[in-house]
Amino acid sequence: MKKRTRNIWLALILVFVILQFFPIDKTNPPSVPENDFLAMENPPENIKLLIKNACYDCHSNHTKYPWYTNIQPIAWWIRGHYEHGRENLNYSEWAQYNEEDKPRGLAEMADEVEQTKMPLLTYWLMHPEAKLSEEDRGALVAYFREKSK
């Protein structure tokens, strides 16, 4: 039984090592600064900082890949989060949203932040700067709601 357990562990380690040969692509999509939400909407500095810290990694073309994105299969899972986040909202492509979608998007941003759905718990656990205090959350919600009118 000990030999069988050892063989299972060796096989798992081998699979883990092999997975490391399949890294994710960490190239961010191109970005035009003038098309970015922060450039176009010019929020107050405190709001700009909150958006950058709590939202931009997953919802822009300015993702900063942390060290643990070098470890497979964790990196694949995280890459999926980034791709999903950009599909739902991409601050770097704000200019491409039409005038009907922008207010709707802002209202959704307010709802997500207000209901503590964003930023994701799994994100701010690894990025403490992204954790929003109640005051920060309130400021973001108020800003997004005002802009959505």
Side-chain angles (χ1 to χ4, degrees):
M1 191 63 147
K2 287 183 182 181
K3 187 175 184 174
R4 182 173 181 216
T5 303
R6 188 184 73 197
N7 288 343
I8 290 172
W9 277 109
L10 286 173
L12 289 173
I13 291 169
L14 181 63
V15 167
F16 180 76
V17 169
I18 290 170
L19 290 178
Q20 305 319 302
F21 290 99
F22 301 95
I24 62 170
D25 178 11
K26 295 181 185 178
T27 307
N28 282 321
S31 183
V32 178
E34 302 84 45
N35 293 343
D36 191 279
F37 177 87
L38 297 179
M40 294 183 71
E41 301 298 334
N42 196 26
E45 285 302 313
N46 66 320
I47 298 298
K48 188 181 289 189
L49 185 62
L50 291 173
I51 292 171
K52 278 188 171 184
N53 287 340
C55 311
Y56 258 51
D57 261 354
C58 297
H59 293 284
S60 80
N61 295 342
H62 304 284
T63 301
K64 295 177 192 137
Y65 292 91
W67 65 268
Y68 49 85
T69 57
N70 293 316
I71 302 169
Q72 310 314 324
I74 296 168
W76 298 336
W77 176 65
I78 291 170
R79 179 65 180 194
H81 274 280
Y82 291 153
E83 289 173 352
H84 182 71
R86 287 180 187 145
E87 285 173 12
N88 287 304
L89 167 69
N90 191 332
Y91 286 108
S92 297
E93 298 175 3
W94 189 247
Q96 295 177 13
Y97 294 103
N98 67 45
E99 294 309 311
E100 292 174 8
D101 289 340
K102 286 179 182 179
R104 209 171 337 177
L106 288 158
E108 285 179 35
M109 288 180 228
D111 291 344
E112 295 285 314
V113 172
E114 186 173 48
Q115 297 167 13
T116 66
K117 292 180 181 177
M118 287 289 153
L120 295 174
L121 171 67
T122 53
Y123 181 76
W124 63 255
L125 284 175
M126 296 300 288
H127 304 269
E129 71 279 4
K131 185 174 183 182
L132 299 173
S133 67
E134 286 304 312
E135 183 181 328
D136 293 340
R137 194 173 295 285
L140 268 179
V141 169
Y143 174 78
F144 289 144
R145 291 235 187 273
E146 181 61 32
K147 294 295 286 183
S148 70
K149 294 178 182 176

